[in-house]
Amino acid sequence: MTARSERLASLDAGGAERVHERDFAALSERLEGEGVSAETLVAEVQRFEVALPSWAFATGGTRFGRFSGTGEPRTLREKMEDAALVHSLTGAAPRISLHIPWDAARDMDEVRADARRLGIGFDAVNSNTFQDQPGQPLSYKLGSFSNPNPAIRRQAIEHHLQVIEVGKAVGSKALTVWLADGSNYPGQMSLRGSFERVRECLEEVYAAMPDDWRLFTEHKPYEPAFYATVVQDWGSSLLLAQALGDRAQCLVDLGHHLPSVNVELIVARLLGAGKLGGFHFNDSKYGDDDLTAGSIKPYVLFLIFHELVLAGRERLPGFDPAYMIDQSHNLKDPIEALLQTVDQLQQAYAKACLVDHARLAEFQASGDVIMAERTLKQAYETDVRPLVSEARRRRGGALDPVLAFRASGYRAQKTVARPAAPPGGAPTHL
Ligand code: LRH
Ligand code: MN
């Protein structure tokens, strides 16, 4: 625990408030001295919002095991309760992203009513052709949209049309398509044929979407396919989005890049092409580790937000990225991990808003490498936590959401209220 949060933790609410006000006043004064309005920045951070993944509220696992926690959600309604809590403590997570059929419910109108009661909404809805569902006639073992068997492709298209109907019922405005389609051995799959089949199927799905919806294509280098993945990289995703039409854009899951790939450069490329649709924020050291955003490569997260803030300030045509989280919490309390994540994203965004773009452009133009780098580092190395806490406080959130969550006793209450589902008991909505 850092000095500042240690100080906050050791103090009662009043004390924490006083420490915060002192820190915020000091930072505001310092920023004013650099010609930066703290008030403007707080207002910008207050506008930052990110969607929560419905699938990250229960403990995740790996093929080697899963160590479940207590008081975990067993139904979509309970996931939405947890999402509403994350929003109440951060003021920055007003929407949940559903995954179908994991979140399929008998009565989506009731789901929508629950959401309204809880004060949250819905972001992009996610399809799933990477698992076979009980009673599903045809298997996706050898692919869905890329499958040589037209009946399997048809089944996958029908699933996406159903997902769109679910999304329409809850008020989503986008569909995220991540395909596990690929091969494990050279020769197993036609590398061009599989891609063409995916494009054809997506064209039908794209045509079936309401006019005000967007389709996000999500690339991933490997897993579960370990030789070739059909939508393996940003280039494949961009080719699809360009082939489909204006409302098709690329979704960048930060963990879907091989180590040392320059993700902020990919973001800049997709921005330049007007095809950056959104993000699945998380962090990783090796593969698609789905760790807490900002926990492993915080400078990269900052550099990604730097590209986004620049694009926003330049009013880049079509710039409207959907910010979403996609994580799996194998060790941390899922709610605490999501509170940390939202805080890390707010901090990275605030630091990116601090960059002096005019000075940076000057140094880039004059070839002053050191001063250009220092201009970025100046912002990145600024402790913006008082500013982010202030933005949260002004949206009714907590100065330190994780500490507030722990003090709330929410997990203990839910441990009593949500006895673990009997083994094999399927999660339902009601
Ligand atoms: C694939 C992925 C995709 C989701 C899934 C839960 O790795 O990132 O976005 O559908 O995780
Ligand atoms: Mn993802």
Side-chain angles (χ1 to χ4, degrees):
M1 210 192 302
T2 59
R4 183 170 187 279
S5 47
E6 221 162 68
R7 234 176 326 133
L8 285 175
S10 64
L11 293 165
D12 62 13
E17 289 280 336
R18 277 194 302 283
V19 167
H20 165 68
E21 270 143 25
R22 198 178 46 215
D23 292 352
F24 180 56
L27 177 60
S28 303
E29 195 183 326
R30 211 202 90 202
L31 292 176
E32 304 298 337
E34 293 163 11
V36 177
S37 152
E39 285 306 312
T40 308
L41 273 172
V42 168
E44 277 192 291
V45 175
Q46 278 183 269
R47 285 194 292 276
F48 177 82
E49 296 180 340
V50 63
L52 304 171
S54 66
W55 57 94
F57 289 100
T59 304
T62 72
R63 57 186 164 167
F64 303 106
R66 177 176 175 274
F67 304 91
S68 62
T70 62
E72 297 191 355
R74 302 150 308 165
T75 65
L76 176 53
R77 178 182 290 156
E78 292 176 351
K79 293 173 188 176
M80 291 161 59
E81 284 171 3
D82 291 0
L85 178 81
V86 171
H87 182 46
S88 70
L89 290 173
T90 62
R95 287 176 300 281
I96 188 171
S97 192
L98 300 185
H99 216 299
I100 306 298
W102 294 342
D103 298 318
R106 267 186 296 280
D107 182 345
M108 292 316 282
D109 292 339
E110 187 159 8
V111 170
R112 195 163 190 173
D114 277 343
R116 210 171 293 119
R117 181 175 53 76
L118 290 163
I120 60 171
F122 297 91
D123 209 301
V125 61
N126 298 265
S127 62
N128 176 343
T129 57
F130 51 85
Q131 296 168 325
D132 288 342
Q133 304 306 324
Q136 181 181 301
L138 301 166
S139 172
Y140 294 130
K141 175 181 176 182
L142 296 176
S144 63
F145 286 165
S146 68
N147 201 299
N149 177 337
I152 293 176
R153 299 201 298 276
R154 174 55 45 200
Q155 178 182 271
I157 290 171
E158 290 308 321
H159 163 67
H160 281 79
L161 302 186
Q162 283 158 13
V163 173
I164 291 172
E165 289 314 308
V166 170
K168 282 158 66 176
V170 295
S172 289
K173 292 293 181 199
L175 167 67
T176 297
V177 180
W178 168 67
L179 299 174
D181 291 40
S183 59
N184 281 2
Y185 302 96
Q188 172 190 336
M189 175 183 79
S190 152
L191 298 182
R192 279 187 287 114
S194 55
F195 189 74
E196 285 317 302
R197 289 190 287 271
V198 164
R199 183 182 51 68
E200 279 162 27
C201 293
L202 280 174
E203 277 173 355
E204 196 169 328
V205 173
Y206 181 84
M209 286 194 315
D211 296 344
D212 61 350
W213 274 45
R214 292 189 285 174
L215 187 152
F216 300 143
T217 54
E218 181 179 359
H219 60 275
K220 184 174 180 180
Y222 72 96
E223 187 202 45
F226 292 111
Y227 167 63
T229 294
V230 179
V231 189
Q232 178 152 34
D233 53 27
W234 69 277
S236 305
S237 181
L238 182 59
L239 285 173
L240 287 173
Q242 288 173 331
L244 293 172
D246 295 349
R247 292 178 298 111
Q249 295 177 309
C250 305
L251 183 140
V252 177
D253 183 312
L254 274 55
H256 291 185
H257 303 90
L258 300 176
S260 76
V261 165
N262 188 328
V263 181
E264 59 272 24
L265 179 63
I266 293 171
V267 169
R269 285 288 166 280
L270 294 173
L271 282 167
K275 282 294 186 184
L276 180 78
F279 290 87
H280 277 177
F281 291 116
N282 49 55
D283 211 336
S284 54
K285 180 85 176 156
Y286 305 103
D288 187 20
D289 310 338
D290 281 340
L291 300 174
T292 311
S295 61
I296 307 290
K297 307 186 290 287
Y299 192 47
V300 169
L301 187 62
F302 161 77
L303 293 171
I304 289 170
F305 273 103
H306 168 57
E307 292 301 327
L308 295 166
V309 169
L310 256 182
R313 297 263 173 91
E314 291 168 11
R315 303 197 181 301
L316 210 63
F319 178 70
D320 177 23
Y323 296 143
M324 297 173 277
I325 296 167
D326 179 2
Q327 288 174 188
S328 171
H329 307 117
N330 303 353
L331 301 179
K332 294 179 177 180
D333 178 295
I335 291 179
E336 291 190 4
L338 288 165
L339 292 170
Q340 263 190 313
T341 303
V342 176
D343 174 59
Q344 284 294 306
L345 296 172
Q346 289 174 308
Q347 289 197 44
Y349 179 69
K351 290 178 184 223
C353 290
L354 263 179
V355 174
D356 184 332
H357 295 142
R359 265 167 66 81
L360 180 64
E362 271 168 38
F363 293 133
Q364 288 171 341
S366 65
D368 191 333
V369 177
I370 293 246
M371 291 312 290
E373 183 194 21
R374 280 171 58 115
T375 308
L376 279 188
K377 279 289 182 75
Q378 163 95 11
Y380 177 68
E381 288 157 1
T382 300
D383 180 357
V384 294
R385 290 175 298 173
L387 197 139
V388 168
S389 291
E390 182 61 19
R392 277 196 292 262
R393 184 168 73 154
R394 294 184 190 183
R395 286 197 68 166
L399 294 174
D400 188 319
V402 169
L403 295 183
F405 173 72
R406 290 194 171 187
S408 74
Y410 183 89
R411 182 59 68 199
Q413 288 158 25
K414 293 303 176 188
T415 299
V416 174
R418 300 170 179 174
T428 66
H429 167 52
L430 298 179

